Amino acid sequence: MAREFSRTRRIAQQLQQELAQVLQRDMKDPRIGFVTVNDVDVSRDLSYAKVYVTFFEEDEKLVQEKVEALDAAAGYIRSLVAGRMKLRVMPELRFIYDSSLVEGMRMSNLVSRVISDDEAKQKQHSDQQDTPQNTDDKSEGEE
């Protein structure tokens, strides 16, 4: 009988939860600010973990500085998480900015703008049809 989740996936989920708590509660670095851990991808041998994070910043330079601050503190974060998890090998953490949330919001805004523009054009078109522009059309229908 096959397992629902592989061991690496279960470890990745637990690592994601522990990292979120550590980054929220234990990190005092003001450069990092508010960070969300979106996903963790652990290698099969548990030696590396890619940690996908999101910040509520749109400035690429500021985002890059925050990722660099996380990378600089990766050893400290790793030691904090290792104390919470019972693993023989604690994966080396690599932080990667996940832009999918920001891109999703941007796409949603574009769709909303297109819909509102379309509704405005449709309303303008119906308003033009309601007002008589040519009086000759009425006189032909009356004859």
Side-chain angles (χ1 to χ4, degrees):
M1 182 180 210
R3 295 184 200 170
E4 284 187 38
F5 296 105
S6 68
R7 180 171 186 259
T8 55
R9 189 66 210 149
R10 288 192 314 265
I11 290 173
Q13 286 177 343
Q14 184 181 2
L15 187 57
Q16 180 180 356
Q17 292 173 352
E18 297 297 336
L19 279 168
Q21 288 179 358
V22 164
L23 291 174
Q24 185 179 26
R25 297 179 185 159
D26 299 334
M27 290 300 295
K28 306 291 188 229
D29 192 345
R31 296 177 297 169
I32 295 172
F34 186 74
V35 60
T36 303
V37 180
N38 291 347
D39 194 21
V40 175
D41 187 21
V42 180
S43 65
R44 289 181 60 109
D45 64 352
L46 303 179
S47 59
Y48 295 98
K50 292 179 183 176
V51 181
Y52 296 95
V53 295
T54 300
F55 307 101
F56 292 104
E57 300 288 340
E58 292 187 20
D59 184 20
E60 290 183 28
K61 184 178 179 184
L62 195 57
V63 166
Q64 187 62 33
E65 289 174 4
K66 289 180 179 235
V67 170
E68 289 172 2
L70 282 172
D71 284 334
Y76 176 67
I77 296 168
R78 182 180 178 197
S79 66
L80 289 175
V81 173
R84 295 171 176 236
M85 293 180 69
K86 306 295 183 218
L87 294 174
R88 288 185 198 163
V89 177
M90 183 63 197
E92 182 180 320
L93 304 176
R94 295 181 178 171
F95 292 95
I96 300 170
Y97 177 66
D98 184 12
S99 63
S100 62
L101 182 65
V102 174
E103 283 298 310
M105 289 180 2
R106 186 181 71 82
M107 293 297 280
S108 176
N109 289 339
L110 286 174
V111 169
S112 297
R113 187 179 330 147
V114 167
I115 289 171
S116 65
D117 289 350
D118 190 41
E119 288 173 350
K121 286 180 183 177
Q122 195 173 27
K123 184 179 178 189
Q124 183 183 17
H125 182 68
S126 66
D127 288 346
Q128 286 178 353
Q129 286 183 349
D130 290 344
T131 57
Q133 294 178 349
N134 193 351
T135 55
D136 294 337
D137 292 340
K138 288 184 181 179
S139 61
E140 287 178 12
E142 292 173 0
E143 292 177 6

